[in-house]
Amino acid sequence: MSTVPMKPRLRIATTSLAGCFGCHMSFLDIDEHFFELAELVEFDRSPLTDIKHCGPCDIGLIEGGVCNAENVHVLREFRAHCKTLVAVGACAINGGLPAQRNHLDLDACLREVYASREGMQTPGVPNDPELPLLLDKVHPIHEIVRVDYFIPGCPPSGEAIWKFLSDLIAGRTPRLYRELLRFD
Ligand code: SF4
């Protein structure tokens, strides 16, 4: 008796760059759909796993913009390994809240926080080689790599993320109807 080969599960990776993890929290808000998702996909690198590097994946979900050299490295790794790359939330799409520092002088910001604030035990801007180099500006991810889809919102709702993912996993072009679109 011949058996029908099982369709391989899609692999999904997620990461947070310069973001607050609020978009990941919204992802967790898909609630009971996680059981369906677990039947359809396997997770690669993600805060949900302990995998340190992104391997070959079908879908990469990126939360957060790009504020330092490590963000650039991680984003390029995702782009190289993910067939479809998705910018999730305002920070990934336009820099979001972290990009508010773009109007300020970075050096002055660092001095204000680390060098001249009362109560700091060892005043001075941290300068450890382990720390990723800050970029002058916070960038949306599409300024660094090609992005296939954008899910707006701060954060997008769990319902929007589920609708998007279920379309993509089923091989449909993802469509978010008006009620699911958020721009705040
Ligand atoms: Fe957080 Fe909003 Fe940015 Fe998502 S878009 S990472 S919720 S600040």
Side-chain angles (χ1 to χ4, degrees):
M1 193 175 86
S2 64
T3 54
V4 179
M6 292 264 294
K7 209 173 153 193
R9 292 180 184 196
L10 297 182
R11 284 190 76 79
I12 293 187
T14 81
T15 194
S16 179
L17 304 177
C20 74
F21 279 93
C23 290
H24 273 83
M25 292 296 112
S26 250
F27 185 24
L28 296 179
D29 277 347
I30 70 173
D31 295 333
E32 71 276 6
H33 291 305
F34 246 107
F35 295 109
E36 280 173 73
L37 192 63
E39 297 289 322
L40 300 169
V41 306
E42 288 174 336
F43 278 95
D44 196 277
R45 175 181 169 155
S46 168
L48 304 171
T49 64
D50 195 26
I51 300 172
K52 308 294 186 204
H53 290 282
C54 179
C57 280
D58 298 288
I59 303 168
L61 303 174
I62 306 282
E63 166 198 293
V66 180
C67 79
N68 63 38
E70 191 203 11
N71 293 161
V72 175
H73 174 78
V74 171
L75 180 58
R76 287 192 170 140
E77 185 183 61
F78 265 67
R79 180 66 277 178
H81 289 98
C82 298
K83 290 180 194 159
T84 300
L85 195 70
V86 186
V88 182
C91 297
I93 294 172
N94 59 30
L97 280 175
Q100 290 198 359
R101 79 158 161 86
N102 289 357
H103 306 287
L104 305 168
D105 176 72
L106 179 59
D107 187 53
C109 275
L110 290 170
R111 287 182 194 289
E112 173 69 22
V113 172
Y114 292 107
S116 49
R117 184 160 288 185
E118 283 181 23
M120 293 285 286
Q121 287 184 337
T122 50
V125 177
N127 188 25
D128 190 293
E130 289 274 316
L131 295 173
L133 189 67
L134 283 178
L135 305 181
D136 276 353
K137 306 283 183 204
V138 178
H139 298 266
I141 68 170
H142 69 82
E143 288 186 4
I144 316 294
V145 297
R146 179 176 57 78
V147 176
D148 300 294
Y149 292 103
F150 301 82
I151 311 179
C154 180
S157 66
E159 202 183 349
I161 293 172
W162 173 244
K163 170 72 168 65
F164 179 91
L165 277 180
S166 50
D167 279 350
L168 204 55
I169 290 167
R172 298 185 291 268
T173 300
R175 300 220 183 279
L176 296 184
Y177 40 89
R178 178 184 284 266
E179 292 72 24
L180 288 182
L181 288 174
R182 266 187 197 168
F183 297 97
D184 58 355

